[in-house]
Amino acid sequence: MKVPASGRLFTIGLIACWYSSNIGVLLLNKYLLSNYGFRYPIFLTLCHMMACSVLSYVAISWLKVAPLQTVRSRVQFVKISSLGLIFCLSVVGGNISLRYLPVSFNQAVGATTPFFTAVFAYLMTLKREAWLTYITLIPVVAGVMIASGGEPSFHLFGFIMCIGATAARALKTVLQGILLSSEAEKLNSMNLLMYMAPVAVAFLLPAAIIMEEDVIGITIALARDDSRILWLLIFNSALAYLVNLTNFLVTKHTSALTLQVLGNAKGAVAVVISILIFRNPVSVTGMLGYSLTVFGVILYSEAKKRSK
């Protein structure tokens, strides 16, 4: 069946919006946490989660972007809360890593998500993939090891935070499949975000107050001196929600596989743009390592597709 031109244009527009919001929030996070000097990654994540809480409710309840799904039991709520905590840790870890690492290296480490997903899936469900799928993970890990050795701006704490964030992201994916596996408990990504985000806010608010001393007072004082910080935080938080919304819509109007393929290319685009904007030094070894990781991820996607 031929897809109408207007439908194709709409899909292309959605993909462009998904790319822009993904890369935009990554670059803006880096700018705020590193270049601007707003060194409060937990508070920044709190702003993101507050925006996700409010905007996802508006999108589902008022704009009807997705049908409203209710939490059916206390057990289901506990499961969602557990996912919310892991989701929150992955975002905080990613934001902390951006204080110390360039976006290009952050993306290289983030590309190892399939490796951690395969490891957690085996450890938690004893689910074995085809041997070819595991072989494709070798270049994924080898690429990051090469990129680490050739990264001029390598920072050990930033690297540990980035690895932790990547592992948490993979753990959330695997746990989501286990915890919300029954048809009665399954939630689409927009409803899951609407319930997870307030849980993340509940964890992040005391964490920001305790670990980032007087962060609210400092932010207010900064806003008095430079109102731009307020607009940057609001725009950044809205963009963080837009990433989730466009992710859901692109999957709905194309497929999960298309999203995966586009995601592989997105990392490479983000690397090139970040190098052009931030002028961070790169080495030939680092770029070769990152290229090997991306190649491994593409092979992994192909192997997974063929094994189904």
Side-chain angles (χ1 to χ4, degrees):
M1 190 175 78
K2 195 176 178 183
V3 180
S6 58
R8 282 200 304 271
L9 280 172
F10 177 72
T11 306
I12 290 165
L14 268 182
I15 292 167
C17 194
W18 180 66
Y19 256 62
S20 305
S21 57
N22 257 280
I23 296 169
V25 78
L26 188 67
L27 298 177
L28 197 49
N29 283 349
K30 175 64 180 174
Y31 173 74
L32 282 166
L33 294 165
S34 189
N35 297 60
Y36 188 90
F38 186 80
R39 305 189 187 283
Y40 305 103
I42 298 174
F43 181 74
L44 183 64
T45 310
L46 173 64
C47 293
H48 290 179
M49 293 301 116
M50 285 168 70
C52 287
S53 299
V54 174
L55 295 175
S56 55
Y57 177 78
V58 170
I60 292 171
S61 298
W62 296 357
L63 303 178
K64 310 293 181 188
V65 168
L68 177 65
Q69 294 172 293
T70 55
V71 176
R72 294 169 181 269
S73 65
R74 187 178 293 177
V75 173
Q76 190 186 12
F77 176 72
V78 171
K79 290 176 180 179
I80 292 167
S81 299
S82 304
L83 290 171
L85 177 59
I86 296 164
F87 175 57
C88 161
L89 291 173
S90 73
V91 180
V92 170
N95 283 343
I96 291 172
S97 76
L98 282 171
R99 268 194 65 185
Y100 303 98
L101 298 175
V103 172
S104 52
F105 188 56
N106 178 281
Q107 287 295 284
V109 177
T112 60
T113 303
F115 168 75
F116 288 104
T117 305
V119 169
F120 286 130
Y122 178 72
L123 290 174
M124 299 174 80
T125 66
L126 297 178
K127 181 189 171 188
R128 287 175 184 248
E129 300 286 353
W131 63 271
L132 188 63
T133 308
Y134 288 118
I135 287 173
T136 61
L137 291 171
I138 295 170
V140 173
V141 178
V144 168
M145 289 170 73
I146 293 167
S148 302
E151 175 54 53
S153 309
F154 183 82
H155 190 285
L156 183 59
F157 179 68
F159 177 69
I160 292 167
M161 284 291 103
C162 200
I163 285 283
T166 305
R169 206 158 42 237
L171 179 61
K172 178 193 160 282
T173 303
V174 174
L175 274 178
Q176 191 173 323
I178 298 168
L179 296 180
L180 305 178
S181 55
S182 71
E183 283 302 317
E185 288 187 331
K186 272 185 183 172
L187 298 172
N188 64 46
S189 60
M190 293 310 297
N191 276 272
L192 186 59
L193 179 67
M194 184 176 74
Y195 293 121
M196 281 195 314
V199 172
V201 169
F203 285 119
L204 287 165
L205 186 58
I209 291 167
I210 295 163
M211 297 171 74
E212 296 176 339
E213 200 175 337
D214 198 28
V215 64
I216 296 168
I218 290 165
T219 306
I220 292 166
L222 274 172
R224 281 183 186 142
D225 293 337
D226 179 12
S227 62
R228 196 167 53 115
I229 183 66
L230 199 60
W231 294 111
L232 281 171
L233 286 171
I234 291 168
F235 179 63
N236 183 242
S237 301
L239 213 53
Y241 172 70
L242 193 60
V243 170
N244 292 283
L245 177 62
T246 52
N247 191 301
F248 170 75
L249 292 173
V250 169
T251 308
K252 184 180 174 183
H253 289 274
T254 57
S255 67
L257 185 64
T258 303
L259 191 80
Q260 199 173 41
V261 172
L262 290 168
N264 294 338
K266 173 189 67 76
V269 174
V271 166
V272 173
I273 293 174
S274 73
I275 292 168
L276 291 172
I277 292 174
F278 297 112
R279 308 278 180 186
N280 57 284
V282 288
S283 66
V284 175
T285 309
M287 289 313 291
L288 281 173
Y290 178 65
S291 302
L292 182 61
T293 295
V294 172
F295 179 64
V297 171
I298 292 166
L299 288 179
Y300 173 80
S301 301
E302 272 301 307
K304 283 277 285 181
K305 190 169 69 175
R306 291 186 181 191
S307 66
K308 283 179 181 176

